[in-house]
Amino acid sequence: GAVVSQHPSWVICKSGTSVKIECRSLDFQATTMFWYRQFPKQSLMLMATSNEGSKATYEQGVEKDKFLINHASLTLSTLTVTSAHPEDSSFYICSAPGLGDSGELFFGEGSRLTVL
Amino acid sequence: GQNIDQPTEMTATEGAIVQINCTYQTSGFNGLFWYQQHAGEAPTFLSYNVLDGLEEKGRFSSFLSRSKGYSYLLLKELQMKDSASYLCAVKDSNYQLIWGAGTKLIIKP
């Protein structure tokens, strides 16, 4: 099956700093990747759709200048949380659709961000 | 608006059977997914239904009725490791995934 790898698994940073999270499709090419955020005991919230070679599509209410997304190749998408604040602390998960008819999503391991 | 409803929490006994329901109201339908998510981990794919009926995969089965906007996930021979959240998601007419809030399943010995 398709494998999506995400790094780092967890990160702690100081308020005001920037954090980059990488999402890689290891054994398939992904022209589209999805970035989700999940707060404790809540469901997945789609933040943005990352498109290889073009600008990401952000969901309503998500600040594109704060959450920078770059999809530079068919196997790598990055999310940079700029000037992080404690309220940005969350579980960030990337995913990519598989190649089957269902288009099921394959998720990365997730990255837990804690902003002090 | 688009809406997916599933129970917040369910409790079941090891070795028993549990059914987790999901009802949806979406703009169009292009398939329904069930995912399992253990605490602190990313979701993993369980099943996909696009036509009415039952899809069986080992201990897990998923049912869909498009006319009723209804699906359920059936877990048999429950094991302690099945304790997790189960997420229902529907792909709408724009092929966007609409996620339910998830059902936390607690398995007791």
Side-chain angles (χ1 to χ4, degrees):
Chain A
V3 178
V4 176
S5 178
Q6 194 171 335
H7 176 82
S9 300
W10 58 271
V11 58
I12 301 173
C13 70
K14 292 182 179 180
S15 184
T17 60
S18 295
V19 174
K20 179 185 283 188
I21 302 170
E22 294 187 346
C23 179
R24 294 179 185 275
S25 56
L26 297 185
D27 54 356
F28 69 107
Q29 294 180 332
T31 56
T32 300
M33 289 185 177
F34 302 98
W35 286 95
Y36 289 90
R37 179 167 55 184
Q38 187 176 36
F39 292 106
K41 298 184 179 180
Q42 295 186 23
S43 190
L44 300 171
M45 292 177 54
L46 180 65
M47 298 176 66
T49 301
S50 170
N51 304 297
E52 188 271 334
S54 64
K55 292 182 179 180
T57 305
Y58 290 81
E59 295 300 302
Q60 192 172 9
V62 178
E63 300 176 58
K64 60 182 66 178
D65 293 332
K66 180 171 182 62
F67 299 99
L68 301 179
I69 291 174
N70 185 8
H71 197 147
S73 76
L74 288 171
T75 59
L76 173 64
S77 175
T78 61
L79 167 68
T80 301
V81 182
T82 62
S83 186
H85 288 93
E87 57 265 31
D88 298 324
S89 298
S90 187
F91 191 48
Y92 293 86
I93 316 174
C94 71
S95 67
L99 301 178
D101 292 338
S102 69
E104 69 189 73
L105 291 182
F106 294 91
F107 287 86
E109 301 91 335
S111 300
R112 184 160 304 282
L113 171 64
T114 301
V115 184
L116 302 177
Chain B
Q2 311 210 83
N3 193 50
I4 294 184
D5 288 317
Q6 49 181 134
T8 303
E9 186 174 298
M10 298 182 71
T11 302
T13 304
E14 188 177 17
I17 299 173
V18 70
Q19 176 175 311
I20 302 175
N21 296 324
C22 170
T23 57
Y24 62 89
Q25 293 175 313
T26 57
S27 56
F29 177 86
N30 281 296
L32 184 145
F33 298 82
W34 283 97
Y35 284 83
Q36 180 191 60
Q37 185 178 24
H38 285 101
E41 299 180 11
T44 56
F45 171 78
L46 287 179
S47 68
Y48 171 70
N49 294 70
V50 67
L51 300 176
D52 290 350
L54 188 68
E55 294 282 342
E56 297 185 78
K57 191 183 292 185
R59 294 190 297 116
F60 293 4
S61 303
S62 57
F63 172 83
L64 173 67
S65 169
R66 288 172 296 171
S67 62
K68 296 181 179 179
Y70 167 70
S71 171
Y72 68 73
L73 179 69
L74 190 72
L75 292 76
K76 303 177 183 177
E77 302 171 18
L78 286 170
Q79 301 175 10
M80 298 304 291
K81 66 179 183 179
D82 297 329
S83 292
S85 286
Y86 291 85
L87 308 176
C88 174
V90 172
K91 194 174 285 188
D92 68 11
S93 57
N94 294 319
Y95 293 89
Q96 298 295 314
L97 263 185
I98 312 301
W99 291 88
T103 298
K104 182 179 180 180
L105 178 63
I106 300 169
I107 309 297
K108 295 185 175 180

